[in-house]
Amino acid sequence: MFCYQCEQTSHGKVCDKIGVCSKDETTSNLQDLLVYTLRGLSLVAEEGRKVGVVDAAVDRHLPAMLFSTLTNVNFNPERFKAWIKQTVDLRESLKGKVKAAGGAIPTHASVAFAPAADLTGLIAQASEGKGGMKDNPDSDADIVSLQHMVLFGLKGLSAYADHANILGVENKEIYDWIHESMAAATKPGLGMDWWFNACVKTGQVNLLAMEALDKANTETYGHPKPTAVTLGQRKNKAILITGHDLKDLEELLKQTQGKGIDVYTHGEMLPCHGYPKLKETYPHLYGHFGTAWQNQQKEFAQFPGAILFTTNCLMKPAQSYADNVFTHGLVGFPGIKHVETYDFSPVIEHALKMPGFTADVPGKQVLTGFARNAVLGVADKVIEAVKSGAIKRFFLVAGCDGAKPGRNYYTEFVEKLPKDTVVLTLACGKFRFFDKDLGDIGGIPRLLDMGQCNDAYSAIQVAVALANAFNCGVNDLPLSMILSWYEQKAVAILLTLVALGIKDIRLGPTLPAFVTPNVLKVLVDKLNIMPITTPDQDIKAILG
């Protein structure tokens, strides 16, 4: 086993026995083998494009499968066995189409790989070190670092592309780049410059993926509106939905109408309350339960209903609540009930058998829904507040949360900011401070939740609009980015910011283990990316 794709990797170096996420060697190796077969598929797809052969099923399969290997998505070897076979079947079908069109079939071993028929044989094949982070076309440490940065960025943008695909929004440029860069990971000698440019291109394509998902979400469910969400409970049966998938939430809400069940969001589903076609259509979308994903093993034991996982971030369910957990889509864990289709009747039946909340419990309210349309709708007030000096600076304090010590930095940072500053936030990193009352500036809340991690697109659009209004570049705005990272979607977003030339980003709680000193030096020299220090030091350095 060799895995260092997340921030919490063992000792800040690599997980080589068992993942900190609880991923075992078997699952890790099968994920690597899936990546290996996907590279073979991309080699064939790349040749197919040269002769006009484009297979929609292949294009949609690739991001979904890359997403399945992202941290805390799927831990079930049986699912990876099926996906590896499906990938090879698609490859063989595509090879036939490419040959028929007069195209050449690449000779790389991944194009001819035949998976074992049973799981035991496949596990043996997976242990041979094919694909993933162990099988690199070059040996130079800096080039390997960039190759892995591209791979992790691809995994992150594939999550966004897959969510957009589910709602019917696609972009050919996304598929083209995934195939090209996955195929490139089998080709030695491309060089440092090629791979650094590939990192930049991955960031550019991730922006397209986030744009596609923004389009999918807003066209389907409307533009988010500022919305107050209760952290309390209502006497009723209950289902908790976690993850990121809006369509899963919509289908669950449809199927629970009139059944005496309230639906609560968890984690990055909180921003779903801001979408008008969800909140205004379904009054039983009631409140939000719990805090960040890494607290689920403690908090889920207290939830008196069924729990539905739609994507990441899944941790090994504790025995105290494992019987109440259901998974859907790409997410999964051995022994946990999986819903294959959008028929959530098993989840509903289980919720009806459980006690639910037996009394009304009032709770604090938090605000969400400050996506680009909501913020830009009051842009005149924001601009005037900046010009008058009422708002001195904006801080984007955002990214992933995690369990490793050091993340209390973000809570302290927000708490210590002067009252003439505004905090923009998104993704699960906000759960360090999402329930803090920071007050307002002239009616503008000082804490603005812009949404899920993919809503970094909204933050970028707001920054661009403000830069245009002030006739300056984004780097000249009174805006500082204080980012936390954990998994591969954060890597993709960081690469997008690199591609946009955003400077002076502060990143923590630790720097990625897969970034070598030489690669880090390039990022520092070009964009002045720097590690966080202490809240007091960083605030002083930014504000002077």
Side-chain angles (χ1 to χ4, degrees):
M1 178 177 179
F2 182 97
C3 185
Y4 61 177
Q5 67 181 10
C6 85
E7 192 272 334
Q8 292 185 179
T9 192
S10 183
H11 304 293
K13 294 179 179 179
V14 65
C15 294
D16 55 3
K17 294 181 176 62
I18 189 168
V20 173
C21 65
S22 80
K23 178 173 65 175
D24 61 21
E25 181 181 8
T26 293
T27 303
S28 181
N29 289 342
L30 287 172
Q31 289 181 356
D32 288 346
L33 187 59
L34 176 57
V35 170
Y36 180 77
T37 61
L38 291 170
R39 287 171 176 163
L41 178 61
S42 284
L43 281 165
V44 179
E46 189 178 44
E47 290 300 317
R49 277 159 161 72
K50 295 176 183 178
V51 291
V53 175
V54 177
D55 189 314
V58 167
D59 285 351
R60 291 168 187 152
H61 178 76
L62 194 68
M65 293 299 95
L66 281 173
F67 184 12
S68 76
T69 69
L70 190 143
T71 302
N72 291 93
V73 174
N74 199 294
F75 299 80
N76 192 335
E78 290 288 352
R79 298 282 297 282
F80 286 104
K81 174 179 178 289
W83 288 331
I84 289 168
K85 182 181 185 304
Q86 185 182 3
T87 301
V88 171
D89 288 346
L90 284 168
R91 185 197 70 200
E92 292 304 297
S93 174
L94 184 60
K95 282 164 68 173
K97 295 173 185 176
V98 173
K99 284 180 183 177
I105 302 302
T107 57
H108 190 267
S110 61
V111 177
F113 172 74
D118 61 15
L119 185 58
T120 301
L122 196 66
I123 290 171
Q125 289 177 317
S127 68
E128 296 170 4
K130 294 182 173 70
M133 289 150 264
K134 295 171 292 191
D135 183 20
N136 308 297
D138 297 274
S139 58
D140 181 275
D142 296 327
I143 293 177
V144 170
S145 174
L146 294 172
Q147 289 168 349
H148 290 177
M149 203 180 306
V150 169
L151 173 61
F152 303 151
L154 290 176
K155 290 186 179 191
L157 74 85
S158 290
Y160 302 141
D162 184 62
H163 285 314
N165 289 353
I166 288 170
L167 292 174
V169 178
E170 301 178 75
N171 184 322
K172 180 178 177 296
E173 288 184 65
I174 297 172
Y175 298 138
D176 289 347
W177 176 244
I178 296 177
H179 285 308
E180 181 182 347
S181 51
M182 286 289 284
T186 67
K187 302 172 183 177
L190 292 177
M192 187 86 171
D193 287 344
W194 194 95
W195 282 105
F196 183 81
N197 290 332
C199 288
V200 174
K201 181 64 180 289
T202 301
Q204 293 168 340
V205 173
N206 183 59
L207 185 61
L208 297 178
M210 292 193 297
E211 180 183 43
L213 183 51
D214 179 89
K215 175 182 171 68
N217 286 340
T218 57
E219 289 189 352
T220 307
Y221 303 112
H223 283 276
K225 300 177 181 178
T227 303
V229 184
T230 182
L231 302 181
Q233 292 92 46
R234 183 165 63 184
K235 183 179 178 181
N236 219 347
K237 301 292 186 178
I239 294 175
L240 185 65
I241 184 168
T242 186
H244 302 77
D245 198 289
L246 272 65
K247 182 174 174 60
D248 280 20
L249 175 58
E250 179 191 26
E251 292 299 323
L252 181 64
L253 289 169
K254 285 180 181 176
Q255 294 171 42
T256 48
Q257 284 187 107
K259 287 185 165 58
I261 297 174
D262 285 330
V263 174
Y264 293 79
T265 56
H266 172 265
E268 288 220 58
M269 296 300 278
L270 170 63
C272 296
H273 290 269
Y275 287 91
K277 290 187 180 177
L278 293 174
K279 187 65 175 178
E280 295 170 11
T281 306
Y282 303 102
H284 62 297
L285 175 57
Y286 181 67
H288 187 79
F289 181 90
T291 53
W293 67 270
Q294 74 272 7
N295 299 325
Q296 63 190 258
Q297 290 173 323
K298 176 177 65 176
E299 295 175 344
F300 285 6
Q302 309 303 317
F303 189 78
I307 302 165
L308 176 64
F309 278 87
T310 65
T311 53
N312 61 319
C313 301
L314 169 67
M315 298 176 73
K316 180 180 180 179
Q319 191 173 6
S320 57
Y321 64 86
D323 286 346
N324 303 331
V325 174
F326 296 78
T327 60
H328 182 249
L330 296 172
V331 70
F333 201 94
I336 297 299
K337 299 178 286 291
H338 186 72
V339 179
E340 291 290 346
T341 66
Y342 283 100
D343 178 5
F344 292 125
S345 54
V347 184
I348 295 168
E349 289 168 9
H350 191 81
L352 291 172
K353 293 176 184 176
M354 294 192 67
F357 290 105
T358 56
D360 292 344
V361 179
K364 189 174 187 177
Q365 290 193 327
V366 295
L367 288 173
T368 190
F370 292 97
R372 58 191 173 89
N373 265 31
V375 176
L376 293 177
V378 294
D380 55 339
K381 294 181 180 178
V382 173
I383 292 167
E384 181 55 38
V386 173
K387 287 181 176 179
S388 71
I391 295 177
K392 289 291 195 302
R393 196 163 192 87
F394 296 91
F395 288 86
L396 179 64
V397 186
C400 309
D401 204 355
K404 200 162 72 173
R407 291 180 180 268
N408 58 325
Y409 164 95
Y410 297 93
T411 309
E412 292 178 25
F413 187 94
V414 167
E415 290 175 338
K416 290 181 175 181
L417 285 173
K419 296 189 182 300
D420 55 4
T421 60
V422 171
V423 176
L424 308 173
T425 191
L426 50 84
C428 62
K430 64 173 164 273
F431 289 107
R432 292 278 165 173
F433 48 81
F434 80 123
D435 56 352
K436 304 289 182 185
D437 184 3
L438 301 185
D440 67 273
I441 300 174
I444 301 169
R446 285 192 59 229
L447 179 60
L448 301 176
D449 176 15
M450 305 192 80
Q452 296 181 341
C453 52
N454 53 280
D455 291 310
Y457 178 78
S458 272
I460 291 168
Q461 297 310 307
V462 168
V464 169
L466 290 176
N468 290 337
F470 288 108
N471 195 28
C472 66
V474 171
N475 287 318
D476 300 314
L477 286 171
L479 170 66
S480 296
M481 297 192 181
I482 317 296
L483 305 182
S484 55
W485 82 283
Y486 172 69
E487 41 90 309
Q488 296 79 70
K489 286 181 284 184
V491 175
I493 291 171
L494 181 63
L495 292 180
T496 295
L497 297 176
V498 168
L500 292 170
I502 305 298
K503 295 183 178 180
D504 302 327
I505 297 168
R506 282 173 164 79
L507 181 66
T510 62
L511 295 177
F514 53 83
V515 174
T516 62
N518 287 335
V519 170
L520 179 61
K521 185 177 185 303
V522 172
L523 295 174
V524 171
D525 290 347
K526 285 180 177 290
L527 300 168
N528 196 32
I529 291 177
M530 64 193 87
I532 59 172
T533 59
T534 68
D536 290 323
Q537 284 179 287
D538 289 343
I539 291 171
K540 182 178 179 180
I542 294 167
L543 297 178

